[in-house]
Amino acid sequence: MSQNQILQSLIAENLVSDPTGARGRLLKEAARLFREKGYERTTVRDLAAAVGIQSGSLFHHFRTKEEILKAVMVETIRLNTALMQSAMEAADTPRDKLRALVRAELESINGQTGEAMAVLVFEWRSLSADSQAEVLELRDIYEALWLDVLGLLREQGALLAEPFVVRRMLTGALSWTVTWYRPERGGLTLDGLTDQVMAMLGFAATA
Amino acid sequence: MSQNQILQSLIAENLVSDPTGARGRLLKEAARLFREKGYERTTVRDLAAAVGIQSGSLFHHFRTKEEILKAVMVETIRLNTALMQSAMEAADTPRDKLRALVRAELESINGQTGEAMAVLVFEWRSLSADSQAEVLELRDIYEALWLDVLGLLREQGALLAEPFVVRRMLTGALSWTVTWYRPERGGLTLDGLTDQVMAMLGFAATA
DNA sequence: GACAATACCAAGCAAGCGCTTGGTTTGTAA
DNA sequence: TTACAAACCAAGCGCTTGCTTGGTATTGTC
């Protein structure tokens, strides 16, 4: 299934908003602004202006500002969980599955959903405790994908460190790319970057 | 030189504030609050209350709230650069130097200066562009320490990936530990965590 | 073409924000 | 004891914030 097909089916199931609709457009702009200026520094007036309405009109679509932040996070996780699952299923060996996961996460961080992913990392504390708990549940689903694959590699002896530690290190390392990786300037492509990550873990690049 | 000796000499040179003095205590509380609630959500009234003065009195010590954030970051970098330099010089082989750097960075992130280090990572955007430039200059000094060591290992063939990529991945991975590593509960010590990081990079633990 | 429901606007409220002001206390040294 | 600066307080100003309110277009449905 292509990336776009996955997105379409999630929209059909009402799990993520159509980016061409009013709600979807707002969430996209919100992700951009939250990443650019941070959640706190982004005012409801900024958000409204970004989609061309009055600030008060926002509250017809969302009850609070925080609900917007939460929606950005929830929808991002839903989309990326689906993308990862699909990427992983397409690979055969544990090693290739790991590469697929790394590649997929790098893509979600540095591609279309990059702004929303950065928000997920950097604006976590701005969520209320209740919302944090809800979002965490969703995250667990796709963390399990990683741990399964890393566990297999560990059994094979291809990994010297503990799977749960490696996953957490990779979470940090891959998220952090958002602060420095610029594919447009400089020769490192997404596949090249994926190779570098695999090499760092001791897996030589495939031909 | 012990950690404490390094701190004392920096205080003597007026490069960091004495943590027992008024300014030092404020910076320590500021780091705690900034990390706990974020810079924007921390009010000058919070900061003042934390050291037992009125909010207006803060501005006798600092001209603006942002100046407090900047001071937290600057002093943290100064201290940690000194600590890293010292840790690295004590090691002999490139491999041991790398381990010393990893261990030192994990300690600064998860030890005494942990709150300030977390602020450095998560509140970066709250600094004005001018302040960012100033702080970046300081960072470059200790980034060079890492790149030197990683470059040596690369030449030796002990590292499969590019030094600058590895350093950036490690920055993310090690910073991220602040969100999950809890030495007090759970058996993983700081040395154990350091071993795990080295193992992830393909370096087996020494006896 | 009537009628809801949905989407929006214009205006502004109450609270909280960073910071300023004018004046008082405290520490230090001659 | 006096002199003076550093450290602090009490009060509050001007502004921005998230959000509410009462009303008006716009849209889809039969």
Side-chain angles (χ1 to χ4, degrees):
Chain A
M1 236 193 330
S2 79
Q3 278 197 40
N4 210 40
Q5 282 175 308
I6 293 172
L7 176 61
Q8 289 306 326
S9 72
L10 288 173
I11 292 172
E13 289 175 77
N14 235 0
L15 290 174
V16 313
S17 311
D18 187 337
T20 63
R23 183 186 156 98
R25 276 208 327 277
L26 175 65
L27 289 181
K28 196 172 157 56
E29 290 298 320
R32 215 199 72 231
L33 286 167
F34 288 163
R35 176 186 163 181
E36 191 181 308
K37 324 206 295 176
Y39 172 76
E40 304 288 347
R41 291 178 110 92
T42 303
T43 68
V44 292
R45 287 165 180 80
D46 292 334
L47 292 169
V51 291
I53 60 175
Q54 291 296 105
S55 69
S57 307
L58 271 188
F59 295 88
H60 176 74
H61 300 278
F62 296 90
R63 271 177 312 166
T64 64
K65 183 187 169 192
E66 199 215 345
E67 201 172 287
I68 299 177
L69 177 61
K70 184 174 154 193
V72 167
M73 292 185 173
V74 166
E75 297 203 0
T76 304
I77 294 188
R78 284 187 186 144
L79 176 57
N80 281 300
T81 304
L83 290 175
M84 296 236 171
Q85 216 140 19
S86 158
M88 211 192 62
E89 282 164 7
D92 293 322
T93 66
R95 189 217 131 101
D96 287 344
K97 280 180 193 292
L98 177 62
R99 195 183 190 283
L101 284 179
V102 170
R103 160 90 220 219
E105 191 152 302
L106 282 172
E107 194 158 342
S108 62
I109 288 165
N110 298 99
Q112 304 265 11
T113 62
E115 275 149 356
M117 287 295 283
V119 169
L120 200 47
V121 173
F122 288 102
E123 305 301 334
W124 184 247
R125 269 173 327 184
S126 298
L127 267 193
S128 69
D130 286 352
S131 301
Q132 282 189 8
E134 270 183 72
V135 178
L136 264 185
E137 265 182 55
L138 291 175
R139 272 202 100 131
D140 282 346
I141 301 171
Y142 95 56
E143 289 303 318
L145 294 177
W146 282 87
L147 291 177
D148 287 348
V149 173
L150 290 171
L152 286 173
L153 288 165
R154 175 76 164 153
E155 282 173 30
Q156 291 183 356
L159 206 63
L160 292 175
E162 292 292 334
F164 88 96
V165 176
V166 174
R167 170 53 188 154
R168 281 170 167 159
M169 294 287 169
L170 280 177
T171 302
L174 300 182
S175 305
W176 193 247
T177 59
V178 86
T179 67
W180 62 269
Y181 176 60
R182 294 285 173 274
E184 63 275 17
R185 60 182 155 109
L188 203 54
T189 62
L190 247 177
D191 278 310
L193 184 57
T194 308
D195 286 338
Q196 290 285 319
V197 174
M198 293 298 282
M200 188 183 73
L201 297 174
F203 298 96
T206 32
Chain B
M1 228 184 346
S2 80
Q3 278 195 40
N4 211 39
Q5 283 175 306
I6 292 172
L7 176 60
Q8 289 305 327
S9 72
L10 286 173
I11 292 172
E13 290 174 79
N14 235 358
L15 290 173
V16 313
S17 312
D18 188 338
T20 63
R23 182 186 156 100
R25 276 209 326 280
L26 174 67
L27 289 182
K28 197 173 155 54
E29 290 297 321
R32 216 199 72 231
L33 287 166
F34 288 164
R35 177 188 160 177
E36 192 181 307
K37 324 204 298 176
Y39 172 76
E40 305 287 347
R41 290 178 110 91
T42 304
T43 68
V44 293
R45 287 164 180 83
D46 291 334
L47 292 169
V51 292
I53 59 174
Q54 291 296 107
S55 68
S57 307
L58 271 188
F59 296 90
H60 177 73
H61 300 278
F62 297 89
R63 273 177 310 165
T64 63
K65 183 186 169 192
E66 199 215 343
E67 200 173 287
I68 299 177
L69 177 61
K70 183 175 154 191
V72 167
M73 293 185 173
V74 166
E75 297 203 1
T76 304
I77 295 188
R78 283 187 187 144
L79 175 56
N80 281 301
T81 304
L83 290 175
M84 296 238 170
Q85 216 140 20
S86 159
M88 211 192 62
E89 281 163 8
D92 292 323
T93 66
R95 191 216 129 102
D96 287 344
K97 281 181 191 293
L98 177 62
R99 194 182 189 287
L101 285 178
V102 170
R103 162 87 219 220
E105 190 151 303
L106 281 172
E107 195 158 343
S108 62
I109 288 165
N110 299 99
Q112 305 266 12
T113 62
E115 276 149 354
M117 286 295 281
V119 170
L120 200 46
V121 173
F122 287 103
E123 305 300 334
W124 184 248
R125 268 174 326 182
S126 297
L127 268 192
S128 69
D130 286 352
S131 301
Q132 282 190 8
E134 269 183 72
V135 178
L136 265 184
E137 262 180 57
L138 292 175
R139 272 203 100 130
D140 282 347
I141 300 171
Y142 96 53
E143 289 304 317
L145 294 178
W146 282 88
L147 291 177
D148 287 348
V149 173
L150 290 171
L152 286 174
L153 287 165
R154 175 75 164 151
E155 281 173 29
Q156 291 182 354
L159 207 65
L160 291 175
E162 292 292 334
F164 86 95
V165 176
V166 174
R167 170 53 190 154
R168 283 171 167 160
M169 293 287 168
L170 280 176
T171 302
L174 300 181
S175 306
W176 194 245
T177 60
V178 86
T179 67
W180 62 270
Y181 176 60
R182 294 286 172 274
E184 62 275 16
R185 58 178 157 118
L188 203 53
T189 64
L190 247 174
D191 277 311
L193 186 56
T194 308
D195 285 338
Q196 290 284 320
V197 174
M198 293 299 281
M200 187 182 73
L201 297 175
F203 298 96
T206 33

